[in-house]
């Protein structure tokens, strides 16, 4: 834990027939930051980055925690990330592994991670000097499952916090995936595709589309998504991690306090401008509700028919 540059002035007097005085500025580099208030177990997770692209100046000894939000598309990760970014000391930099080249190998992944965690990654979320936590969101289909061993090892060596964000109701997620796919192709909002909206008017337009779900493959697809989430958590069980469910955050905002506690952040009320697109009972959101109800009735996924919430 090394950081900080200190400057001191030393006065040197020359004793001679003409006494003079000179001041020398001596720069002392790499003074250790005081970590006496950090508990012993926490020290591997506390960092003092020294970015190459700017100086942290007076914040050089402000500790920074590293994190990654693991999730799946249409699981509320965009909304969750805007909540975290509303914290004055948090920078979550979006889906940085959306570009294939960055996840082509473990080496490419670690090079990207090094830039992010050294605060040398710039995005609209970057808060630079006085960050208390820096990270990004990472979809499971963006190299996580293929390179999980190397990623988990990096997380352990570099003290990265893993936050898993999933949906309990995978049927709702499926409806959102299908609706988002339709929006990409048809762009009902003035010819523009929007994965997230910030007004009730926009949400109302997008919610008008009611997809038809393939009842034949429904259970197999739900099981595949469920198994994928379970495997991901298992891959990172040796890292410092927490599992958060979208529905729990929606229904109980104390969950956001738990996330802030997990990252050891000073507590703040977190907010987001995003507006939920699909609300109300699921029977109003799909074309073939009766068929879906019949397929899921009596299965392990029957609860999805009734599990509801509001946001």
């Amino acid at each position: 834990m090394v950081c900080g540059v200190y400057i001191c002035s030393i006065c040197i007097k020359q004793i001679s027939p003409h006494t003079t005085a000179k001041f020398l500025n001596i720069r002392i580099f790499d003074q250790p930051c005081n970590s006496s208030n950090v508990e012993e177990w926490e020290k591997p997770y506390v960092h003092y980055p020294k970015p190459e692209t700017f100086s942290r100046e007076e914040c050089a000894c402000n500790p920074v925690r590293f994190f990654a939000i693991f999730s799946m598309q249409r699981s509320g990760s965009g909304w969750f990330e805007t909540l975290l970014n509303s914290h004055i000391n948090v920078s979550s930099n979006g889906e940085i592994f959306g570009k294939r080249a960055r996840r082509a190998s473990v080496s490419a992944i670690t090079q990207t991670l090094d830039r992010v965690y050294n605060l040398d990654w710039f995005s609209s979320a970057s808060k630079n000097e006085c960050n208390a936590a820096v990270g990004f969101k990472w979809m499971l289909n963006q190299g996580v499952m293929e390179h999980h061993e190397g990623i988990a090892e990096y997380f352990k060596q570099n003290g990265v916090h893993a936050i898993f964000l999933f949906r309990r109701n995978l049927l709702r997620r499926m409806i959102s995936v299908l609706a988002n796919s339709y929006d990409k192709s048809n762009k009902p909002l003035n010819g523009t595709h929007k994965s997230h909206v910030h007004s009730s008017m926009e949400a109302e337009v997008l919610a008008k589309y009611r997809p038809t779900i393939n009842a034949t493959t429904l259970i197999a697809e739900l099981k595949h998504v469920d198994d994928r989430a379970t495997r991901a958590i298992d891959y990172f069980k040796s890292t410092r991690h927490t599992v958060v469910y979208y529905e729990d955050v929606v229904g109980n905002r104390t969950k956001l306090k738990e996330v802030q506690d997990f990252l050891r952040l000073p507590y703040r009320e977190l907010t987001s401008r995003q507006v939920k697109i699909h609300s109300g009972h699921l029977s109003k959101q799909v074309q073939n509700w009766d068929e879906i109800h019949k397929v899921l009735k009596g299965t392990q996924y029957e609860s999805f028919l009734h599990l509801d919430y509001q946001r």
Side-chain angles (χ1 to χ4, degrees):
M1 293 177 293
V2 174
C3 65
V5 177
Y6 297 86
I7 300 175
C8 60
S9 296
I10 299 177
C11 176
I12 300 178
K13 289 187 177 181
Q14 179 181 353
I15 307 300
S16 69
H18 304 286
T19 301
T20 61
K22 293 183 179 180
F23 287 87
L24 299 180
N25 284 332
I26 300 176
R27 295 171 65 86
I28 304 173
F29 291 87
D30 295 338
Q31 292 295 313
C33 293
N34 183 4
S35 60
S36 60
N37 61 339
V38 178
E39 295 182 38
E40 198 63 34
W41 71 266
E42 193 184 0
K43 288 183 179 179
Y45 305 101
V46 173
H47 310 280
Y48 301 90
K50 299 173 70 176
E52 297 178 3
T53 49
F54 67 94
S55 170
R56 295 189 72 206
E57 298 177 343
E58 70 273 12
C59 295
C61 280
N62 281 22
V64 179
R65 274 75 174 180
F66 302 158
F67 70 88
I69 305 165
F70 289 120
S71 191
M72 289 185 267
Q73 284 80 1
R74 314 311 297 174
S75 295
S77 62
W79 174 64
F80 183 78
E81 187 176 46
T82 61
L83 287 168
L84 284 184
N85 275 328
S86 72
H87 195 295
I88 193 172
N89 302 119
V90 176
S91 295
S92 190
N93 294 285
E95 291 182 36
I96 63 174
F97 287 106
K99 291 190 176 182
R100 292 183 181 276
R102 294 174 187 159
R103 62 178 196 259
S105 64
V106 172
S107 176
I109 288 171
T110 57
Q111 286 177 22
T112 302
L113 293 177
D114 285 344
R115 283 182 59 195
V116 172
Y117 295 135
N118 201 46
L119 307 185
D120 286 317
W121 189 276
F122 294 102
S123 73
S124 59
S126 300
K127 297 186 175 72
N128 297 335
E129 292 90 349
C130 290
N131 269 305
V134 62
F136 59 97
K137 62 174 181 169
W138 202 345
M139 301 297 104
L140 297 188
N141 64 352
Q142 294 174 347
V144 175
M145 307 302 278
E146 295 86 345
H147 303 295
H148 64 88
E149 291 182 353
I151 297 168
E153 187 60 32
Y154 181 97
F155 277 30
K156 286 187 288 184
Q157 289 182 0
N158 294 276
V160 181
H161 299 67
I163 302 172
F164 290 94
L165 177 72
F166 297 127
R167 291 184 85 144
R168 293 188 188 279
N169 193 331
L170 300 180
L171 181 60
R172 274 195 176 275
R173 176 185 176 273
M174 181 179 289
I175 292 170
S176 183
V177 168
L178 293 171
N180 189 58
S181 179
Y182 171 83
D183 183 67
K184 281 183 180 179
S185 302
N186 294 272
K187 301 179 176 63
L189 280 174
N190 301 317
T192 303
H193 168 58
K194 287 193 174 183
S195 294
H196 309 100
V197 298
H198 299 94
S199 76
S200 56
M201 182 197 70
E202 292 176 320
E204 187 176 339
V205 171
L206 296 186
K208 288 180 180 178
Y209 174 70
R210 297 169 61 201
T212 299
I213 296 176
N214 187 330
T216 304
T217 60
L218 175 57
I219 290 182
E221 289 180 17
L222 292 175
K223 187 177 188 307
H224 172 73
V225 174
D226 200 10
D227 289 348
R228 192 173 180 83
T230 300
R231 281 190 291 119
I233 295 170
D234 187 62
Y235 289 156
F236 290 85
K237 64 184 179 183
S238 62
T239 69
R240 178 163 165 74
H241 68 278
T242 187
V243 181
V244 181
Y245 289 97
Y246 171 78
E247 290 86 350
D248 294 345
V249 178
V250 171
N252 183 1
R253 286 303 183 91
T254 60
K255 289 293 178 183
L256 292 175
K257 185 179 186 305
E258 292 175 14
V259 172
Q260 292 179 73
D261 288 343
F262 176 69
L263 294 175
R264 310 290 278 181
L265 293 169
Y267 179 71
R268 297 287 186 275
E269 286 290 337
L270 306 183
T271 61
S272 173
R273 292 179 52 241
Q274 284 192 14
V275 176
K276 183 172 174 57
I277 296 172
H278 298 97
S279 57
H281 197 273
L282 286 173
S283 62
K284 307 298 183 184
Q285 297 178 36
V286 293
Q287 294 283 3
N288 56 333
W289 173 253
D290 290 341
E291 187 180 14
I292 298 307
H293 191 281
K294 182 178 179 180
V295 169
L296 296 184
K297 185 74 173 176
T299 71
Q300 67 189 96
Y301 304 115
E302 181 178 357
S303 63
F304 295 167
L305 299 169
H306 314 293
L307 190 63
D308 226 332
Y309 60 91
Q310 296 293 327
R311 183 177 115 197

